[in-house]
Amino acid sequence: MENKEKCGHASGYNYCRMGMTDSDFQSAAKDLTEFVVNYYSNLNEIHANPSVEPGYMKSLLPASAPEQPDKWDDVFKDFDKIVMAGLAHWQSSRFFAFFPTATSYPSILADVLIDCCSCMGFTWNSSPACTELEPIVLDWLAKAIGLPNAFIYDGKGPGCGVIQGSASEATIMTVLAARAKTLRTLAVKYPGQSQHTLLSKLVAYASECSHSSVERACLIAMVKLNKVPVDENIAVRGDALKAAMDKDRKDGMIPFYVCATLGTTDCASFDNIVEIGPVCGADVWLHVDAAYAGASFICPEYRHFMEGVEMVTSFNFNPHKWLMVNFDFSALWVKNCVDLINSFNVNPVYLRHENQATTIDYRHWQLPLGRRFRSLKLWFVMRIFGVENMRKRIREDVQHAKTFEELVRADDRFEICFPVHLGLVCFRLVVAGECDDEKINKVNQDLLGRIVDSKEIYIVGSRVRQRFHLRLVTGSVGCDDKAVKFAWKSIQKHACSVLREIV
């Protein structure tokens, strides 16, 4: 203690604790632990979406921050009264709206330790443990989902994984890396052309049903995006991609990037990588966005969806959707990490260190400089659950979706709109004798509005090829067959009211 006081550590530490002592923190942490356990124990009783209006919070909170400290009890009471009232409860047994957001006790505990240590692992020197654990656990995960050895780091590379904040960030990273790599090649091939001219010729490609993040990535990169038409299974096929590329090349454009989607948001469809890969060849960067479906590949029976993955340049999915790892945690693998490093390497003196030639500096692999110790979450989850229990969770959620599909198919007032893959069921109410899609769209929009307004369950709709449908997604912590059957009864009840009004 004497040495700490001489160094000033004790006074600095006390300053950090000014608002809360050790005993205060222990008491508050006990309150939070009890709250978390009670929250997860009562998910069946929680409405998924809140009953508040926009701006509800403004009248409940003061206009300025307090000058003097508030008591923890008062802060926590306000959290329970004000904040909880406006939360959408993604883990509720009544939440079926979006692809799930994962959580688990081990991941929550890891997040506590991450926040406790509060390290910034942008270089090996800034936090060796943070840097070294990441490629190890991403190798574990790559092997667990069956990625080819070309993506495994194993201490030598050049294939390697890196944690991004989201699939959107992973797409931006790969678009920018592909752009930089292509421009370097073109500068040698066309030495008389300016970078601006070459950039204006670059074209990226993605499904017309790809996630909006692909379009945003291309806007950021200032490159053209060509949306490729899909087949009857809402999948991009090799011939459609080749036709689009051939036309662009004929017009003087340069294809440089393709984003193939495995598990689209609209209907969980899968682009055909086996056909797309040869069209891309060695010159076009082929990225796979498997944000939702990638978690299912931990089960061998679903890996046929990524057949042809050995031909891709980069692969991404979100463990924070379906593998019990809390947000934010998106895993991106590249076959050659040099492609990222060469594109984002900025090396000021204050970030250089004596070990940089032999270690990973993840600051070159991402958009921000700072990075949290996110690999700790996956390490805890994989060790405490084990891969087999992670598979079990996926299979249970898929079975819940199959249960709902069977219920829909048993009612001839409804139809299943697309093949049911994994945990997403797309369906709609049909009207006897009605063939006009737009009229049926309005009926289903009306049905969705009544379901959401009732607060009984939370689902959303989507539109593919001008046909509106409803989406039900399994995967929340509270989801089970009982919850699925409750959701179906609610949907049927509101469907009856809609149909009565039509008659």
Side-chain angles (χ1 to χ4, degrees):
M1 177 61 70
E2 182 180 353
N3 289 337
K4 288 183 179 179
E5 290 174 350
K6 286 181 180 178
C7 296
H9 292 172
S11 60
Y13 185 45
N14 286 331
Y15 177 77
C16 293
R17 298 187 303 170
M18 186 178 292
M20 186 173 277
T21 65
D22 288 347
S23 60
D24 290 339
F25 177 76
Q26 287 178 311
S27 176
K30 183 179 179 182
D31 291 342
L32 288 183
T33 302
E34 291 178 356
F35 175 87
V36 170
V37 172
N38 288 334
Y39 178 78
Y40 285 115
S41 298
N42 293 286
L43 286 175
N44 290 337
E45 302 171 14
I46 301 174
H47 285 290
N49 48 342
S51 299
V52 296
E53 297 295 328
Y56 87 97
M57 193 177 284
K58 184 174 178 60
S59 62
L60 301 176
L61 293 176
S64 301
E67 292 291 339
Q68 299 301 320
D70 281 337
K71 295 180 180 178
W72 161 252
D73 287 345
D74 293 334
V75 174
F76 195 48
K77 286 177 183 176
D78 282 348
F79 168 80
D80 198 22
K81 176 184 176 182
I82 299 172
V83 178
M84 288 295 288
L87 278 184
H89 298 283
W90 285 58
Q91 305 309 328
S92 166
S93 62
R94 304 182 183 189
F95 189 98
F96 302 95
F98 307 108
F99 287 143
T101 177
T103 187
S104 65
Y105 285 150
S107 185
I108 292 170
L109 291 173
D111 252 334
V112 171
L113 293 175
I114 292 166
D115 290 340
C116 168
C117 298
S118 194
C119 70
M120 286 288 169
F122 43 77
T123 64
W124 183 89
N125 257 26
S126 69
S127 187
C130 180
T131 297
E132 296 200 7
L133 184 60
E134 186 159 331
I136 291 172
V137 296
L138 287 178
D139 276 358
W140 287 7
L141 186 58
K143 294 172 184 177
I145 66 170
L147 283 184
N149 287 336
F151 293 101
I152 306 297
Y153 179 63
D154 198 25
K156 45 185 188 299
C160 193
V162 56
I163 300 169
Q164 305 288 334
S166 67
S168 299
E169 287 181 37
T171 302
I172 291 171
M173 287 294 296
T174 54
V175 169
L176 292 175
R179 185 189 71 171
K181 182 179 180 180
T182 303
L183 288 176
R184 286 193 298 270
T185 300
L186 293 176
V188 176
K189 187 175 181 180
Y190 304 106
Q193 297 278 355
S194 69
Q195 287 282 295
H196 175 76
T197 299
L198 294 172
L199 177 62
S200 69
K201 295 179 180 294
L202 298 186
V203 187
Y205 301 83
S207 164
E208 59 182 310
C209 294
S210 62
H211 194 269
S212 59
S213 59
V214 182
E215 186 171 354
R216 292 185 67 215
C218 291
L219 287 172
I220 291 170
M222 295 186 294
V223 295
K224 177 185 175 183
L225 174 64
N226 193 334
K227 294 188 177 180
V228 183
V230 295
D231 68 4
E232 66 278 5
N233 294 316
I234 320 300
V236 171
R237 303 292 297 274
D239 56 353
L241 177 62
K242 184 177 185 302
M245 285 186 175
D246 287 346
K247 182 181 183 304
D248 285 334
R249 288 190 176 105
K250 186 178 179 180
D251 293 339
M253 305 300 285
I254 303 172
F256 82 105
Y257 178 91
V258 172
C259 180
T261 305
L262 299 184
T264 59
T265 302
D266 288 319
C267 57
S269 60
F270 293 79
D271 290 338
N272 193 316
I273 304 177
V274 171
E275 296 180 0
I276 292 172
V279 175
C280 294
D283 297 329
V284 177
W285 185 301
L286 175 53
H287 174 65
V288 166
D289 174 6
Y292 165 63
S296 72
F297 303 153
I298 201 169
C299 303
E301 63 266 32
Y302 302 124
R303 290 179 192 162
H304 64 276
F305 286 126
M306 65 169 177
E307 187 179 354
V309 69
E310 69 278 356
M311 292 182 281
V312 310
T313 315
S314 55
F315 182 96
N316 166 248
F317 87 97
N318 291 342
H320 67 228
K321 274 188 167 62
W322 210 7
L323 279 189
M324 296 179 280
V325 178
N326 291 48
F327 186 86
D328 57 345
F329 194 115
S330 186
L332 169 66
W333 288 271
V334 290
K335 275 185 176 175
N336 191 346
C337 62
V338 175
D339 292 334
L340 293 182
I341 296 169
N342 285 348
S343 303
F344 302 99
N345 191 337
V346 178
N347 199 25
V349 172
Y350 51 82
L351 292 178
R352 298 174 193 170
H353 58 91
E354 64 274 16
N355 297 301
Q356 63 185 29
T358 57
T359 59
I360 292 176
D361 278 3
Y362 275 121
R363 62 191 169 99
H364 302 312
W365 304 42
Q366 60 176 23
L367 293 176
L369 173 62
R371 61 195 337 263
R372 300 172 71 239
F373 194 177
R374 291 175 291 199
S375 59
L376 197 67
K377 295 188 287 189
L378 181 60
W379 192 49
F380 274 33
V381 166
M382 295 191 83
R383 290 190 63 187
I384 292 176
F385 283 104
V387 174
E388 188 52 45
N389 278 324
M390 297 169 79
R391 293 190 186 108
K392 181 181 178 182
R393 171 65 191 278
I394 297 290
R395 288 167 177 151
E396 287 175 348
D397 287 332
V398 172
Q399 183 54 51
H400 299 327
K402 289 297 182 185
T403 297
F404 184 79
E405 178 189 9
E406 291 167 3
L407 292 170
V408 176
R409 290 192 184 280
D411 189 331
D412 59 10
R413 297 172 301 174
F414 290 84
E415 66 178 5
I416 297 292
C417 301
F418 303 100
V420 176
H421 298 310
L422 306 178
L424 173 63
V425 183
C426 299
F427 64 103
R428 67 176 188 163
L429 180 65
V430 293
V431 181
E434 182 59 72
C435 298
D436 188 320
D437 271 339
E438 199 50 48
K439 290 182 180 178
I440 298 176
N441 287 347
K442 290 179 181 178
V443 168
N444 282 276
Q445 288 166 345
D446 183 15
L447 173 59
L448 177 63
R450 297 183 191 213
I451 293 169
V452 173
D453 288 345
S454 75
K455 307 294 183 184
E456 293 170 350
I457 62 170
Y458 187 18
I459 62 174
V460 297
S462 191
R463 186 186 292 259
V464 175
R465 290 181 167 173
Q466 304 309 310
R467 297 180 67 185
F468 182 85
H469 63 268
L470 307 182
R471 300 167 70 260
L472 182 139
V473 187
T474 60
S476 70
V477 169
C479 184
D480 55 20
D481 272 2
K482 182 179 178 181
V484 164
K485 291 173 182 177
F486 174 85
W488 177 234
K489 287 182 179 179
S490 176
I491 292 166
Q492 284 183 308
K493 178 181 70 175
H494 294 293
C496 286
S497 66
V498 169
L499 292 173
R500 277 198 301 268
E501 291 183 11
I502 293 175
V503 175

